Amino acid sequence: MEEDNTKLIKKYKQDLEMYEKQLKQQIQECKAALQRGSHIQIYDTYCEIHSPIYSLPLKPVLGSANFTPNENPQDQLKKALVKVTTSGQGQTLTDQDQSVSTSDYLGQPSTTQQRSEAKVETAVKTYKLLPQTKVVEEWESPCNIRSMCPTTDGQVWTQYRNKLTLLDRKGKVIHEVTHNVLINAISLSPSTHTLWVCDDDKNIMELVSGRLTHRFSTKKKPECICITASNYVIVGMYRHISKFTTDGKMVCTSMAKGTGKPLVCTPDRISECPVTHNVAVADYSESDGGYGNQHVVVMDTDFKELFEYRGDIPSTYTHTPQTGDGPFTPRDVVYDSVGNLIIGDCDNNRVLLISGGGEFLRVIHTDTVYTWAVGIDREDVLWAKFGFYVKLLQYSSM
């Protein structure tokens, strides 16, 4: 319809241009007839003016469409969307568990009854956990890394102090950007694929053509940042997180009123779920006079708390010799493409897989040194930094 309308408008424009040309010619002929012509020539000119040949072109009728939403789409959705069932209920989970796993996409903690009835009618991808996590690549990092953001073309942006470094899949340095202020966190936009950063001077910036471009500033020092699929900027600051537009207009905030307990105390990392758009925050709440132990809090798009995960692992899960028993220390969090939450548990040298509803699924990998950063690429390959080494881990198959 758009193409047809374009053709009609183009033809109408050409007709008007032709009409204008003919009209100008007719005006000249009329002037000449009035100045030098006979009564017959003047009469003929007058008749030609009223001729249908010189009438305005007809304005075209453009095509249009109206949309009427379905008032009861449930039946159509049931037919169109896939049903997902979970298996492995009541079995002992191990690092080699092979059962199919899915997230609870309602964003609420799962229960035994919910799992036993688990037929999730939603458009999701199902995948199977590999019997053993596969190390796809492993290399010593050429630079220090505090956070990492895999790109859509098989590379990864890393950050440490005031430096950004772009590495390829083998760990080779492709590009470096040095900032004049300490950078606290980075985030890759899912829509524009550009890198955003926050720094110690309360600046929110976007990396454009190799240079950091200032977008807006925050009142408090930003500790972490997340660019959402809807192109909002979520910034974590002391005792709250806030959502902004890309030009700095605040949309909503989790800041507690009065003396109420804040939803987060010291947000350290933020990630948005690509399925539900829930938000997970790694909260370093032991510091800065916070409450309780370090944990991950998951909230909806309006920053209403859904659940907290504090590192609990079911007693039915068989611990491997490498699985640590230290305090839960979530240094980094990221969602995979089906909505499961990946947590880098620093002090226990491991990476955990949690469902979107807060249910523990498995330990993806354990190492001999601290887990400093995690990131997920478009193929659901996990990039993780343990000590000075980076490992690319394949833990599922689609």
Side-chain angles (χ1 to χ4, degrees), residues 316-334:
T316 54
Y317 189 82
T318 303
H319 288 232
T320 63
Q322 293 82 18
T323 303
D325 293 312
F328 178 56
T329 316
R331 293 286 287 183
D332 210 345
V333 292
V334 66

Side-chain angles (χ1 to χ4, degrees), residues 70-81 121:
N70 193 339
E71 294 181 356
N72 186 19
Q74 185 174 359
D75 292 338
Q76 285 80 3
L77 289 173
K78 285 183 178 179
K79 295 176 182 178
L81 303 180
E121 294 175 343

Side-chain angles (χ1 to χ4, degrees), residues 201-361:
D201 275 357
K202 305 177 184 178
N203 297 311
I204 306 298
M205 295 167 289
E206 183 180 12
L207 187 66
V208 181
S209 301
R211 299 186 63 179
L212 288 172
T213 303
H214 182 269
R215 294 305 182 204
F216 63 94
S217 298
T218 55
K219 292 182 179 180
K220 291 186 177 181
K221 185 178 75 171
E223 300 292 348
C224 47
I225 186 173
C226 173
I227 313 302
T228 72
S230 301
N231 215 31
Y232 288 111
V233 184
I234 301 178
V235 182
M237 293 163 278
Y238 176 54
R239 294 175 69 87
H240 73 285
I241 63 172
S242 295
K243 183 188 296 184
F244 300 88
T245 61
T246 53
D247 58 359
K249 182 180 179 181
M250 184 182 292
V251 178
C252 63
T253 183
S254 70
M255 184 178 294
K257 297 180 180 179
T259 58
K261 178 181 177 181
L263 184 60
V264 293
C265 290
T266 315
D268 191 53
R269 284 295 179 269
I270 305 176
S271 180
E272 183 196 41
C273 176
V275 180
T276 64
H277 302 296
N278 291 338
V279 178
V281 181
D283 190 0
Y284 253 50
S285 57
E286 279 188 332
S287 60
D288 295 333
Y291 301 85
N293 296 320
Q294 299 173 33
H295 63 283
V296 174
V297 58
V298 175
M299 60 197 79
D300 64 16
T301 55
D302 296 321
F303 297 161
K304 294 180 180 178
E305 182 177 341
L306 298 175
F307 65 89
E308 291 182 354
Y309 179 75
R310 296 184 175 273
D312 298 328
I313 296 178
S315 58
T316 54
Y317 189 82
T318 303
H319 288 232
T320 63
Q322 293 82 18
T323 303
D325 293 312
F328 178 56
T329 316
R331 293 286 287 183
D332 210 345
V333 292
V334 66
Y335 280 98
D336 64 16
S337 66
V338 298
N340 286 331
L341 185 60
I342 298 169
I343 303 173
D345 185 2
C346 179
D347 287 353
N348 287 297
N349 313 337
R350 64 191 177 191
V351 181
L352 307 178
L353 184 67
I354 311 299
S355 79
E359 178 185 10
F360 173 83
L361 297 178

Side-chain angles (χ1 to χ4, degrees), residues 371-398:
T371 310
W372 289 113
V374 293
I376 198 81
D377 65 18
R378 64 187 306 174
E379 304 298 331
D380 271 352
V381 172
L382 175 65
W383 297 58
K385 180 170 183 288
F386 300 96
F388 293 103
Y389 283 84
V390 173
K391 293 183 179 182
L392 276 63
L393 306 172
Q394 183 80 52
Y395 63 93
S396 67
S397 61
M398 293 295 176

